[in-house]
Amino acid sequence: MLILRRKAGEALHIGDDIRITVISVDEGGARLAIEAPREIPVLREELLNAMDVNRDAAEEQNRPEELLKALFPGQKKPPEA
């Protein structure tokens, strides 16, 4: 991990096409401007973590066939609606 100290108005570059500029700094944190090509996703970490949680929850859900078997155990086909 690289740790840098930057003042408001200063920037850093990642590769040839990503630029991060410090817009302002106060006691609550820093405001950053990120310039990157559209094909490079830029997400806040909490959003990325939420996406992982949602993906994990979706993978844990049962398929409809498994739910029907649980609702109607011992039957080859669930009753017609």
Side-chain angles (χ1 to χ4, degrees), residues 20-78:
I20 302 173
T21 305
V22 179
I23 301 298
S24 65
V25 180
D26 61 30
E27 291 179 15
R31 292 184 68 210
L32 305 174
I34 302 169
E35 299 172 60
R38 287 189 180 272
E39 62 269 11
I40 297 178
V42 178
L43 295 172
R44 296 183 315 216
E45 186 172 33
E46 63 270 18
L47 294 180
L48 188 60
N49 290 339
M51 288 171 47
D52 289 342
V53 168
N54 287 339
R55 186 179 308 114
D56 292 345
E59 289 174 358
E60 288 177 7
Q61 290 181 352
N62 291 325
R63 296 187 319 238
E65 301 84 21
E66 293 171 352
L67 291 172
L68 290 172
K69 286 179 187 176
L71 290 171
F72 304 102
Q75 295 184 13
K76 292 185 180 182
K77 286 179 63 178

